[in-house]
Amino acid sequence: MRRVLPVLVVTLAIVVIWYVAAVWLNSAWVIDQAARAGREPSFMDILRGTMNQDRPLLPPPHQVLAELWELTVEKRITSKRSLVYHGLVTLQATMLGFVVGAILGVALAIGIVHSRTMDLSVMPWAIISQTVPIVAIAPMIIVLSNAVGIEGRTVPKTIISAYLSYFPVLVSMVKGLRSPEREQLDLLKTYNASRWQTFVKLRLPASMPYFFASMKVAVAASLVGAIVGELPTGAIEGLGARMLIGSQFGEPMIMWTALFAAAILAALLVVAVGIVQALAARAMGQVAR
Amino acid sequence: MIWILGSLAAWAALWWVNTRIAASALAERRAGRVAAPLIFGLAMLIVWEGLVRGFEVSPVILPAPTAIAAKFAASLDVLWIDFVQTFVKGALTGWVIGCGAAVAVAVLIDRSPFLKAGLLPVGNFVAALPIVGIAPIMVMWFGFDWQSKAAVVVVMVFFPTLVNTVAGLDATDRMHRDLMKTWNASYWQALVKLRLPAAMPFIFNGLKIATTLALIGAIVAEFFGSPIKGMGFRISTEVGRLGIDMVWAEIAVAALAGTSFYGAVALAERWVTFWHPSQRGGR
């Protein structure tokens, strides 16, 4: 309770600030409408008028939640407006990119740990690759994969997701594979263990906590990649595409619901990874932190 | 054919050079640590050039590095305008405001354990959300020009910096704080002379994460509407006009800007936190 209470208070404060801001931002429209009708709006009129506009500058929380409920639970999944449908499209690219990124990150880390040459020449470029804004490259990835004859947008989105998510895995795995101590490595040497045996029996198990710690970061990054990948493609499916459509047609509610759906998806993914992490830690006999 | 084989041979030769560097004493010195990645990058460019020429790839699909360099040199003025619009006005302004606000808020809430206990989980949660999604909303609020881009950047960099700074302000030892107390140091004296310096490695960690986020935010926001300049705008229009070499020139600018921005913050970190174990030589 002592840990939950401050979080609740802060969350409540955010909601209150949000309502105040919504009234403040949306009131201009109400006052303007009333002025055109030649009326002087009372404070209660303004208050009521700001709570449920069609195109609010800032929709109040209950309006966003109501819209979200309608678009997820009440709409059929096959509907073009259903956020479950668009969320699944984004989720698919996210998971593909996440898997590809994790495999790539682990593979590169294994190479870097075992080859001094790769450590020297590849690792700096891995760092540089993350300072290059992926959104600049995203349109090119789409053009290139179209040129190679790949239809659809799943592949370019997957590549962008993987580009963002491989890096945290790589960094953590390099650290994890190097985490066995000198004595442990020496012990395996006295057993005459081959490089492969050392890797499978010592380095890999030792790296697992690092691996799972990087998964949460990687899955969040992967979702950002999938959403960003939907922006410059002219995609019509996916949460990023909904945001773009809402922006182009001047429909704030579409943008807000897509944003919230993306946030909920991110939270679910992080929680899911946390559960897998706890299960794996227990299976490996480690105490979950 | 000669291009393909030639470039692959050059790749093999340069890889061999790098293996020699890695095996020699040079690998422990600065020269080797700088040379090896440069040689690797050069090898990548040679293979790119060779494959594009060898397979006669159309420049509409993938231009050769030399063609991109030529385009880059020929359109410096346009690239500079875009750079100022997106990086200086959008990303840098937003980064300064967002990080400044985050550090200030962190110092403020640090005095109240209750606020800290409440804001940290919320901040951690928000830092994991795809905040780029607020870009269309910011464009709606602040218009098409750089103000909306800076606003997106402010929100994107705020939470990672906040979380890191709060963690950093907790990083002092009990002993150090007690020492400050025995000297009768006021809250502000202890903050400026002990706790902020001790927090610097954490703050710089947040600032470095924020540099990459800043550029992403500024460019993404341009996809939702921008004046007729800016890196994101140029990229999306040139893709439409099949001016792929211009797109790559713009990518080169983004890469240079992102890397040097990160490098500048890393240099500042080395200068400010020279006392920290990770910065002292011989790593």
Side-chain angles (χ1 to χ4, degrees), chain A residues 6 57 116-117 120-121 125 130-133 135-136 139-140 147 220 231 243-244 247 255 263 266-267, chain B residues 18-19 28 37 40-41 61 114 118 125 129 136 140-141 212 220 224 235 244 247-248 251 254 258-259:
Chain A
L57 266 177
R116 188 93 182 97
T117 316
L120 272 183
S121 43
W125 283 101
Q130 295 305 298
T131 65
V132 177
V135 276
M140 289 325 301
L231 295 181
M243 289 172 192
L244 198 59
S247 170
M255 298 194 270
Chain B
N18 260 358
T19 332
E28 305 306 326
F40 183 75
I61 295 168
F114 184 83
F125 175 69
L129 297 182
M140 178 174 80
W141 284 0
T212 49
V220 165
F224 292 100
I235 288 171
I244 303 299
V247 177
W248 280 102
I251 290 175
T259 312

mmCIF file of all heavy atoms in Angstrom, chain A residues 6 57 116-117 120-121 125 130-133 135-136 139-140 147 220 231 243-244 247 255 263 266-267, chain B residues 18-19 28 37 40-41 61 114 118 125 129 136 140-141 212 220 224 235 244 247-248 251 254 258-259:
data_model
loop_
_atom_site.group_PDB
_atom_site.id
_atom_site.type_symbol
_atom_site.label_atom_id
_atom_site.label_comp_id
_atom_site.label_asym_id
_atom_site.label_seq_id
_atom_site.Cartn_x
_atom_site.Cartn_y
_atom_site.Cartn_z
ATOM 1 N N PRO A 6 1.386 6.592 -3.542
ATOM 2 C CA PRO A 6 1.951 7.727 -4.286
ATOM 3 C C PRO A 6 1.666 7.638 -5.779
ATOM 4 O O PRO A 6 1.346 8.655 -6.420
ATOM 5 C CB PRO A 6 3.453 7.616 -4.009
ATOM 6 C CG PRO A 6 3.579 6.786 -2.806
ATOM 7 C CD PRO A 6 2.420 5.859 -2.806
ATOM 8 N N LEU A 57 -9.581 19.914 -29.308
ATOM 9 C CA LEU A 57 -8.130 20.089 -29.314
ATOM 10 C C LEU A 57 -7.496 19.072 -28.368
ATOM 11 O O LEU A 57 -6.460 18.501 -28.657
ATOM 12 C CB LEU A 57 -7.781 21.508 -28.859
ATOM 13 C CG LEU A 57 -7.591 22.553 -29.954
ATOM 14 C CD1 LEU A 57 -7.317 23.908 -29.337
ATOM 15 C CD2 LEU A 57 -6.468 22.166 -30.900
ATOM 16 N N ARG A 116 38.234 -11.004 -31.936
ATOM 17 C CA ARG A 116 38.787 -9.696 -31.592
ATOM 18 C C ARG A 116 38.600 -8.723 -32.757
ATOM 19 O O ARG A 116 38.341 -7.539 -32.561
ATOM 20 C CB ARG A 116 40.275 -9.885 -31.282
ATOM 21 C CG ARG A 116 40.959 -8.684 -30.741
ATOM 22 C CD ARG A 116 40.948 -8.681 -29.222
ATOM 23 N NE ARG A 116 41.602 -7.462 -28.744
ATOM 24 C CZ ARG A 116 40.922 -6.373 -28.394
ATOM 25 N NH1 ARG A 116 39.617 -6.366 -28.453
ATOM 26 N NH2 ARG A 116 41.553 -5.292 -27.985
ATOM 27 N N THR A 117 38.711 -9.251 -33.995
ATOM 28 C CA THR A 117 38.560 -8.398 -35.170
ATOM 29 C C THR A 117 37.163 -7.798 -35.213
ATOM 30 O O THR A 117 36.983 -6.610 -35.462
ATOM 31 C CB THR A 117 38.801 -9.207 -36.452
ATOM 32 O OG1 THR A 117 39.952 -10.015 -36.259
ATOM 33 C CG2 THR A 117 39.017 -8.296 -37.628
ATOM 34 N N LEU A 120 36.645 -5.121 -32.618
ATOM 35 C CA LEU A 120 37.250 -3.840 -32.964
ATOM 36 C C LEU A 120 36.487 -3.125 -34.069
ATOM 37 O O LEU A 120 36.311 -1.917 -34.027
ATOM 38 C CB LEU A 120 38.697 -4.053 -33.415
ATOM 39 C CG LEU A 120 39.749 -4.054 -32.312
ATOM 40 C CD1 LEU A 120 41.126 -4.205 -32.911
ATOM 41 C CD2 LEU A 120 39.669 -2.770 -31.505
ATOM 42 N N SER A 121 36.048 -3.872 -35.095
ATOM 43 C CA SER A 121 35.521 -3.169 -36.267
ATOM 44 C C SER A 121 34.001 -3.079 -36.305
ATOM 45 O O SER A 121 33.467 -2.127 -36.867
ATOM 46 C CB SER A 121 36.047 -3.816 -37.554
ATOM 47 O OG SER A 121 35.988 -5.212 -37.458
ATOM 48 N N TRP A 125 30.461 0.421 -35.121
ATOM 49 C CA TRP A 125 29.408 0.687 -36.105
ATOM 50 C C TRP A 125 28.031 0.360 -35.551
ATOM 51 O O TRP A 125 27.045 0.987 -35.936
ATOM 52 C CB TRP A 125 29.674 -0.102 -37.389
ATOM 53 C CG TRP A 125 30.744 0.550 -38.184
ATOM 54 C CD1 TRP A 125 32.046 0.170 -38.255
ATOM 55 C CD2 TRP A 125 30.633 1.739 -38.960
ATOM 56 N NE1 TRP A 125 32.747 1.045 -39.031
ATOM 57 C CE2 TRP A 125 31.918 2.015 -39.490
ATOM 58 C CE3 TRP A 125 29.583 2.604 -39.280
ATOM 59 C CZ2 TRP A 125 32.175 3.109 -40.298
ATOM 60 C CZ3 TRP A 125 29.848 3.700 -40.100
ATOM 61 C CH2 TRP A 125 31.118 3.940 -40.592
ATOM 62 N N GLN A 130 22.900 3.285 -34.156
ATOM 63 C CA GLN A 130 21.778 3.753 -33.345
ATOM 64 C C GLN A 130 21.707 5.270 -33.265
ATOM 65 O O GLN A 130 20.672 5.825 -32.917
ATOM 66 C CB GLN A 130 21.876 3.173 -31.939
ATOM 67 C CG GLN A 130 21.735 1.673 -31.911
ATOM 68 C CD GLN A 130 20.467 1.201 -32.580
ATOM 69 O OE1 GLN A 130 19.370 1.516 -32.164
ATOM 70 N NE2 GLN A 130 20.601 0.439 -33.661
ATOM 71 N N THR A 131 22.820 5.957 -33.556
ATOM 72 C CA THR A 131 22.751 7.421 -33.566
ATOM 73 C C THR A 131 22.209 7.926 -34.896
ATOM 74 O O THR A 131 21.844 9.083 -35.017
ATOM 75 C CB THR A 131 24.137 8.040 -33.323
ATOM 76 O OG1 THR A 131 24.989 7.699 -34.415
ATOM 77 C CG2 THR A 131 24.747 7.528 -32.043
ATOM 78 N N VAL A 132 22.173 7.048 -35.903
ATOM 79 C CA VAL A 132 21.550 7.424 -37.170
ATOM 80 C C VAL A 132 20.045 7.278 -37.013
ATOM 81 O O VAL A 132 19.566 6.216 -36.673
ATOM 82 C CB VAL A 132 22.033 6.508 -38.307
ATOM 83 C CG1 VAL A 132 21.318 6.859 -39.592
ATOM 84 C CG2 VAL A 132 23.523 6.619 -38.486
ATOM 85 N N PRO A 133 19.292 8.361 -37.232
ATOM 86 C CA PRO A 133 17.844 8.244 -37.050
ATOM 87 C C PRO A 133 17.220 7.300 -38.064
ATOM 88 O O PRO A 133 17.283 7.546 -39.259
ATOM 89 C CB PRO A 133 17.342 9.676 -37.243
ATOM 90 C CG PRO A 133 18.436 10.400 -37.925
ATOM 91 C CD PRO A 133 19.708 9.722 -37.586
ATOM 92 N N VAL A 135 14.218 6.728 -38.812
ATOM 93 C CA VAL A 135 13.105 7.253 -39.621
ATOM 94 C C VAL A 135 13.583 7.828 -40.930
ATOM 95 O O VAL A 135 12.861 7.845 -41.911
ATOM 96 C CB VAL A 135 12.328 8.343 -38.868
ATOM 97 C CG1 VAL A 135 11.317 7.716 -37.985
ATOM 98 C CG2 VAL A 135 13.239 9.262 -38.127
ATOM 99 N N ALA A 136 14.865 8.306 -40.960
ATOM 100 C CA ALA A 136 15.383 8.840 -42.218
ATOM 101 C C ALA A 136 15.576 7.719 -43.219
ATOM 102 O O ALA A 136 15.384 7.898 -44.420
ATOM 103 C CB ALA A 136 16.702 9.564 -41.971
ATOM 104 N N PRO A 139 12.025 5.188 -45.367
ATOM 105 C CA PRO A 139 11.482 5.187 -46.732
ATOM 106 C C PRO A 139 12.356 4.418 -47.709
ATOM 107 O O PRO A 139 11.858 3.761 -48.625
ATOM 108 C CB PRO A 139 11.445 6.680 -47.097
ATOM 109 C CG PRO A 139 11.494 7.406 -45.813
ATOM 110 C CD PRO A 139 12.262 6.549 -44.873
ATOM 111 N N MET A 140 13.692 4.479 -47.503
ATOM 112 C CA MET A 140 14.591 3.769 -48.414
ATOM 113 C C MET A 140 14.433 2.263 -48.283
ATOM 114 O O MET A 140 14.513 1.536 -49.271
ATOM 115 C CB MET A 140 16.050 4.128 -48.099
ATOM 116 C CG MET A 140 16.452 5.513 -48.477
ATOM 117 S SD MET A 140 15.669 6.111 -49.951
ATOM 118 C CE MET A 140 16.210 4.918 -51.118
ATOM 119 N N ALA A 147 11.713 -2.868 -54.650
ATOM 120 C CA ALA A 147 12.505 -3.098 -55.851
ATOM 121 C C ALA A 147 12.935 -4.551 -55.960
ATOM 122 O O ALA A 147 13.020 -5.103 -57.053
ATOM 123 C CB ALA A 147 13.731 -2.186 -55.850
ATOM 124 N N ALA A 220 9.928 -2.802 -26.509
ATOM 125 C CA ALA A 220 9.399 -1.443 -26.614
ATOM 126 C C ALA A 220 9.958 -0.750 -27.848
ATOM 127 O O ALA A 220 9.224 -0.100 -28.603
ATOM 128 C CB ALA A 220 9.736 -0.644 -25.355
ATOM 129 N N LEU A 231 4.531 4.989 -40.978
ATOM 130 C CA LEU A 231 4.289 6.395 -41.300
ATOM 131 C C LEU A 231 4.630 6.751 -42.748
ATOM 132 O O LEU A 231 3.781 7.275 -43.461
ATOM 133 C CB LEU A 231 5.057 7.297 -40.327
ATOM 134 C CG LEU A 231 4.583 7.206 -38.882
ATOM 135 C CD1 LEU A 231 5.391 8.144 -38.014
ATOM 136 C CD2 LEU A 231 3.115 7.564 -38.791
ATOM 137 N N MET A 243 -2.805 6.904 -37.036
ATOM 138 C CA MET A 243 -2.365 8.232 -36.618
ATOM 139 C C MET A 243 -2.228 9.157 -37.824
ATOM 140 O O MET A 243 -2.660 10.306 -37.805
ATOM 141 C CB MET A 243 -1.012 8.140 -35.912
ATOM 142 C CG MET A 243 -1.077 7.499 -34.544
ATOM 143 S SD MET A 243 0.584 7.226 -33.933
ATOM 144 C CE MET A 243 0.233 6.174 -32.533
ATOM 145 N N LEU A 244 -1.607 8.638 -38.887
ATOM 146 C CA LEU A 244 -1.397 9.441 -40.083
ATOM 147 C C LEU A 244 -2.738 9.836 -40.695
ATOM 148 O O LEU A 244 -2.950 10.988 -41.087
ATOM 149 C CB LEU A 244 -0.571 8.640 -41.098
ATOM 150 C CG LEU A 244 0.104 9.435 -42.204
ATOM 151 C CD1 LEU A 244 1.043 10.461 -41.608
ATOM 152 C CD2 LEU A 244 0.867 8.521 -43.142
ATOM 153 N N SER A 247 -4.409 12.473 -38.701
ATOM 154 C CA SER A 247 -3.755 13.766 -38.897
ATOM 155 C C SER A 247 -4.168 14.388 -40.225
ATOM 156 O O SER A 247 -4.467 15.577 -40.312
ATOM 157 C CB SER A 247 -2.236 13.565 -38.834
ATOM 158 O OG SER A 247 -1.573 14.721 -39.237
ATOM 159 N N MET A 255 -6.536 10.014 -33.876
ATOM 160 C CA MET A 255 -5.159 10.083 -33.397
ATOM 161 C C MET A 255 -5.065 9.664 -31.937
ATOM 162 O O MET A 255 -4.191 8.890 -31.547
ATOM 163 C CB MET A 255 -4.634 11.513 -33.515
ATOM 164 C CG MET A 255 -4.581 12.042 -34.920
ATOM 165 S SD MET A 255 -3.594 13.528 -34.991
ATOM 166 C CE MET A 255 -4.734 14.808 -34.703
ATOM 167 N N ALA A 263 -0.109 2.727 -26.689
ATOM 168 C CA ALA A 263 0.417 2.720 -25.319
ATOM 169 C C ALA A 263 0.012 1.439 -24.591
ATOM 170 O O ALA A 263 0.823 0.817 -23.896
ATOM 171 C CB ALA A 263 -0.091 3.946 -24.571
ATOM 172 N N ALA A 266 2.024 -1.433 -25.867
ATOM 173 C CA ALA A 266 3.382 -1.408 -25.312
ATOM 174 C C ALA A 266 3.380 -1.958 -23.893
ATOM 175 O O ALA A 266 4.232 -2.781 -23.529
ATOM 176 C CB ALA A 266 3.931 0.019 -25.330
ATOM 177 N N ALA A 267 2.403 -1.525 -23.090
ATOM 178 C CA ALA A 267 2.339 -1.985 -21.707
ATOM 179 C C ALA A 267 2.149 -3.500 -21.656
ATOM 180 O O ALA A 267 2.823 -4.203 -20.896
ATOM 181 C CB ALA A 267 1.199 -1.276 -20.983
ATOM 182 N N ASN B 18 42.427 -5.740 -40.808
ATOM 183 C CA ASN B 18 41.823 -5.572 -39.489
ATOM 184 C C ASN B 18 42.183 -6.727 -38.553
ATOM 185 O O ASN B 18 42.396 -6.523 -37.365
ATOM 186 C CB ASN B 18 40.300 -5.477 -39.623
ATOM 187 C CG ASN B 18 39.830 -4.036 -39.553
ATOM 188 O OD1 ASN B 18 40.642 -3.137 -39.370
ATOM 189 N ND2 ASN B 18 38.542 -3.827 -39.713
ATOM 190 N N THR B 19 42.256 -7.945 -39.124
ATOM 191 C CA THR B 19 42.656 -9.080 -38.288
ATOM 192 C C THR B 19 44.068 -8.875 -37.769
ATOM 193 O O THR B 19 44.374 -9.181 -36.620
ATOM 194 C CB THR B 19 42.617 -10.384 -39.123
ATOM 195 O OG1 THR B 19 41.660 -10.235 -40.135
ATOM 196 C CG2 THR B 19 42.270 -11.566 -38.264
ATOM 197 N N GLU B 28 45.477 -2.341 -28.570
ATOM 198 C CA GLU B 28 45.358 -1.762 -27.231
ATOM 199 C C GLU B 28 45.494 -0.258 -27.263
ATOM 200 O O GLU B 28 45.218 0.420 -26.283
ATOM 201 C CB GLU B 28 46.424 -2.362 -26.306
ATOM 202 C CG GLU B 28 46.397 -3.883 -26.239
ATOM 203 C CD GLU B 28 45.027 -4.416 -25.872
ATOM 204 O OE1 GLU B 28 44.328 -3.752 -25.079
ATOM 205 O OE2 GLU B 28 44.635 -5.471 -26.398
ATOM 206 N N PRO B 37 37.549 0.402 -37.022
ATOM 207 C CA PRO B 37 36.197 0.691 -37.541
ATOM 208 C C PRO B 37 36.212 1.504 -38.820
ATOM 209 O O PRO B 37 35.359 1.302 -39.685
ATOM 210 C CB PRO B 37 35.528 1.473 -36.406
ATOM 211 C CG PRO B 37 36.596 1.823 -35.453
ATOM 212 C CD PRO B 37 37.721 0.882 -35.654
ATOM 213 N N PHE B 40 36.787 -0.858 -41.595
ATOM 214 C CA PHE B 40 35.572 -1.649 -41.807
ATOM 215 C C PHE B 40 34.537 -0.841 -42.592
ATOM 216 O O PHE B 40 33.928 -1.333 -43.544
ATOM 217 C CB PHE B 40 34.999 -2.081 -40.451
ATOM 218 C CG PHE B 40 33.785 -2.952 -40.568
ATOM 219 C CD1 PHE B 40 33.899 -4.269 -40.949
ATOM 220 C CD2 PHE B 40 32.528 -2.441 -40.285
ATOM 221 C CE1 PHE B 40 32.782 -5.073 -41.054
ATOM 222 C CE2 PHE B 40 31.404 -3.245 -40.386
ATOM 223 C CZ PHE B 40 31.535 -4.563 -40.776
ATOM 224 N N GLY B 41 34.361 0.430 -42.209
ATOM 225 C CA GLY B 41 33.417 1.292 -42.915
ATOM 226 C C GLY B 41 33.807 1.466 -44.363
ATOM 227 O O GLY B 41 32.971 1.398 -45.268
ATOM 228 N N ILE B 61 16.888 2.844 -57.713
ATOM 229 C CA ILE B 61 16.736 1.893 -56.610
ATOM 230 C C ILE B 61 17.811 2.112 -55.556
ATOM 231 O O ILE B 61 17.517 2.375 -54.400
ATOM 232 C CB ILE B 61 16.782 0.450 -57.146
ATOM 233 C CG1 ILE B 61 15.579 0.213 -58.050
ATOM 234 C CG2 ILE B 61 16.788 -0.542 -56.010
ATOM 235 C CD1 ILE B 61 15.653 -1.049 -58.842
ATOM 236 N N PHE B 114 7.583 11.340 -1.284
ATOM 237 C CA PHE B 114 6.255 10.917 -1.735
ATOM 238 C C PHE B 114 6.122 11.117 -3.249
ATOM 239 O O PHE B 114 5.740 10.207 -3.984
ATOM 240 C CB PHE B 114 5.186 11.726 -0.999
ATOM 241 C CG PHE B 114 3.789 11.291 -1.332
ATOM 242 C CD1 PHE B 114 3.221 10.205 -0.690
ATOM 243 C CD2 PHE B 114 3.041 11.962 -2.285
ATOM 244 C CE1 PHE B 114 1.937 9.788 -1.000
ATOM 245 C CE2 PHE B 114 1.764 11.548 -2.604
ATOM 246 C CZ PHE B 114 1.213 10.469 -1.953
ATOM 247 N N GLY B 118 5.876 8.380 -6.350
ATOM 248 C CA GLY B 118 4.760 8.369 -7.272
ATOM 249 C C GLY B 118 5.179 8.582 -8.713
ATOM 250 O O GLY B 118 4.670 7.934 -9.622
ATOM 251 N N PHE B 125 7.199 3.993 -16.751
ATOM 252 C CA PHE B 125 6.174 3.445 -17.630
ATOM 253 C C PHE B 125 6.076 4.261 -18.919
ATOM 254 O O PHE B 125 6.096 3.720 -20.020
ATOM 255 C CB PHE B 125 4.827 3.431 -16.898
ATOM 256 C CG PHE B 125 3.680 2.999 -17.750
ATOM 257 C CD1 PHE B 125 3.581 1.694 -18.189
ATOM 258 C CD2 PHE B 125 2.691 3.899 -18.107
ATOM 259 C CE1 PHE B 125 2.525 1.300 -18.976
ATOM 260 C CE2 PHE B 125 1.627 3.503 -18.890
ATOM 261 C CZ PHE B 125 1.548 2.208 -19.332
ATOM 262 N N LEU B 129 6.709 3.808 -23.433
ATOM 263 C CA LEU B 129 5.612 3.930 -24.398
ATOM 264 C C LEU B 129 6.127 4.498 -25.717
ATOM 265 O O LEU B 129 7.129 5.199 -25.747
ATOM 266 C CB LEU B 129 4.527 4.858 -23.849
ATOM 267 C CG LEU B 129 3.838 4.399 -22.579
ATOM 268 C CD1 LEU B 129 2.762 5.392 -22.191
ATOM 269 C CD2 LEU B 129 3.232 3.026 -22.758
ATOM 270 N N PRO B 136 1.372 13.657 -34.283
ATOM 271 C CA PRO B 136 0.268 14.325 -34.983
ATOM 272 C C PRO B 136 -0.475 15.303 -34.085
ATOM 273 O O PRO B 136 -0.946 16.348 -34.564
ATOM 274 C CB PRO B 136 -0.632 13.160 -35.407
ATOM 275 C CG PRO B 136 -0.223 11.999 -34.577
ATOM 276 C CD PRO B 136 1.223 12.198 -34.297
ATOM 277 N N MET B 140 -1.008 19.333 -34.597
ATOM 278 C CA MET B 140 -2.321 19.986 -34.558
ATOM 279 C C MET B 140 -2.291 21.185 -33.617
ATOM 280 O O MET B 140 -2.905 22.213 -33.902
ATOM 281 C CB MET B 140 -3.357 18.955 -34.081
ATOM 282 C CG MET B 140 -4.764 19.483 -33.932
ATOM 283 S SD MET B 140 -5.904 18.141 -33.547
ATOM 284 C CE MET B 140 -5.633 17.904 -31.809
ATOM 285 N N TRP B 141 -1.563 21.066 -32.501
ATOM 286 C CA TRP B 141 -1.556 22.146 -31.512
ATOM 287 C C TRP B 141 -0.650 23.306 -31.907
ATOM 288 O O TRP B 141 -0.984 24.450 -31.725
ATOM 289 C CB TRP B 141 -1.089 21.610 -30.145
ATOM 290 C CG TRP B 141 -2.121 20.820 -29.439
ATOM 291 C CD1 TRP B 141 -3.378 20.554 -29.882
ATOM 292 C CD2 TRP B 141 -1.996 20.169 -28.171
ATOM 293 N NE1 TRP B 141 -4.035 19.775 -28.972
ATOM 294 C CE2 TRP B 141 -3.219 19.535 -27.916
ATOM 295 C CE3 TRP B 141 -0.965 20.073 -27.245
ATOM 296 C CZ2 TRP B 141 -3.441 18.805 -26.751
ATOM 297 C CZ3 TRP B 141 -1.175 19.355 -26.088
ATOM 298 C CH2 TRP B 141 -2.413 18.726 -25.853
ATOM 299 N N THR B 212 19.533 10.620 -29.491
ATOM 300 C CA THR B 212 18.989 9.849 -30.608
ATOM 301 C C THR B 212 17.481 10.032 -30.696
ATOM 302 O O THR B 212 16.930 10.151 -31.780
ATOM 303 C CB THR B 212 19.316 8.359 -30.467
ATOM 304 O OG1 THR B 212 18.975 7.950 -29.150
ATOM 305 C CG2 THR B 212 20.767 8.102 -30.690
ATOM 306 N N VAL B 220 10.183 12.438 -37.444
ATOM 307 C CA VAL B 220 8.855 11.822 -37.517
ATOM 308 C C VAL B 220 7.771 12.889 -37.581
ATOM 309 O O VAL B 220 6.829 12.797 -38.370
ATOM 310 C CB VAL B 220 8.616 10.895 -36.302
ATOM 311 C CG1 VAL B 220 7.140 10.546 -36.182
ATOM 312 C CG2 VAL B 220 9.414 9.623 -36.448
ATOM 313 N N PHE B 224 4.002 14.416 -40.478
ATOM 314 C CA PHE B 224 2.614 14.815 -40.216
ATOM 315 C C PHE B 224 2.344 16.243 -40.656
ATOM 316 O O PHE B 224 1.335 16.827 -40.285
ATOM 317 C CB PHE B 224 2.291 14.663 -38.730
ATOM 318 C CG PHE B 224 2.266 13.237 -38.277
ATOM 319 C CD1 PHE B 224 3.341 12.696 -37.615
ATOM 320 C CD2 PHE B 224 1.177 12.434 -38.538
ATOM 321 C CE1 PHE B 224 3.333 11.379 -37.202
ATOM 322 C CE2 PHE B 224 1.154 11.122 -38.134
ATOM 323 C CZ PHE B 224 2.231 10.587 -37.468
ATOM 324 N N ILE B 235 12.915 14.106 -47.464
ATOM 325 C CA ILE B 235 12.989 12.663 -47.706
ATOM 326 C C ILE B 235 11.680 12.167 -48.308
ATOM 327 O O ILE B 235 11.663 11.483 -49.331
ATOM 328 C CB ILE B 235 13.312 11.911 -46.400
ATOM 329 C CG1 ILE B 235 14.764 12.158 -46.008
ATOM 330 C CG2 ILE B 235 13.068 10.422 -46.554
ATOM 331 C CD1 ILE B 235 15.125 11.651 -44.649
ATOM 332 N N ILE B 244 16.293 9.478 -55.520
ATOM 333 C CA ILE B 244 16.818 8.637 -54.447
ATOM 334 C C ILE B 244 18.204 9.100 -53.989
ATOM 335 O O ILE B 244 18.549 8.981 -52.811
ATOM 336 C CB ILE B 244 16.862 7.166 -54.909
ATOM 337 C CG1 ILE B 244 15.464 6.718 -55.348
ATOM 338 C CG2 ILE B 244 17.342 6.267 -53.793
ATOM 339 C CD1 ILE B 244 14.422 6.770 -54.283
ATOM 340 N N VAL B 247 17.716 11.582 -51.399
ATOM 341 C CA VAL B 247 17.305 10.960 -50.140
ATOM 342 C C VAL B 247 18.523 10.447 -49.382
ATOM 343 O O VAL B 247 18.673 10.669 -48.175
ATOM 344 C CB VAL B 247 16.316 9.801 -50.404
ATOM 345 C CG1 VAL B 247 15.949 9.120 -49.105
ATOM 346 C CG2 VAL B 247 15.081 10.311 -51.095
ATOM 347 N N TRP B 248 19.427 9.799 -50.110
ATOM 348 C CA TRP B 248 20.617 9.259 -49.444
ATOM 349 C C TRP B 248 21.512 10.381 -48.932
ATOM 350 O O TRP B 248 22.132 10.252 -47.873
ATOM 351 C CB TRP B 248 21.392 8.327 -50.368
ATOM 352 C CG TRP B 248 20.783 6.966 -50.432
ATOM 353 C CD1 TRP B 248 20.012 6.457 -51.434
ATOM 354 C CD2 TRP B 248 20.859 5.944 -49.432
ATOM 355 N NE1 TRP B 248 19.613 5.187 -51.121
ATOM 356 C CE2 TRP B 248 20.119 4.842 -49.907
ATOM 357 C CE3 TRP B 248 21.485 5.842 -48.193
ATOM 358 C CZ2 TRP B 248 19.992 3.669 -49.174
ATOM 359 C CZ3 TRP B 248 21.357 4.675 -47.464
ATOM 360 C CH2 TRP B 248 20.618 3.607 -47.954
ATOM 361 N N ILE B 251 20.005 11.332 -45.816
ATOM 362 C CA ILE B 251 20.309 10.322 -44.796
ATOM 363 C C ILE B 251 21.723 10.532 -44.267
ATOM 364 O O ILE B 251 21.976 10.440 -43.056
ATOM 365 C CB ILE B 251 20.154 8.902 -45.382
ATOM 366 C CG1 ILE B 251 18.677 8.599 -45.650
ATOM 367 C CG2 ILE B 251 20.734 7.854 -44.438
ATOM 368 C CD1 ILE B 251 18.438 7.277 -46.322
ATOM 369 N N ALA B 254 21.617 13.272 -41.844
ATOM 370 C CA ALA B 254 21.020 12.814 -40.587
ATOM 371 C C ALA B 254 22.014 11.968 -39.801
ATOM 372 O O ALA B 254 22.146 12.113 -38.580
ATOM 373 C CB ALA B 254 19.753 12.005 -40.886
ATOM 374 N N GLY B 258 23.377 13.067 -36.276
ATOM 375 C CA GLY B 258 23.117 12.206 -35.125
ATOM 376 C C GLY B 258 24.400 11.759 -34.452
ATOM 377 O O GLY B 258 24.538 11.834 -33.225
ATOM 378 N N THR B 259 25.376 11.338 -35.264
ATOM 379 C CA THR B 259 26.616 10.839 -34.694
ATOM 380 C C THR B 259 27.402 11.947 -34.011
ATOM 381 O O THR B 259 27.938 11.770 -32.914
ATOM 382 C CB THR B 259 27.470 10.184 -35.794
ATOM 383 O OG1 THR B 259 26.653 9.299 -36.536
ATOM 384 C CG2 THR B 259 28.619 9.428 -35.200
#
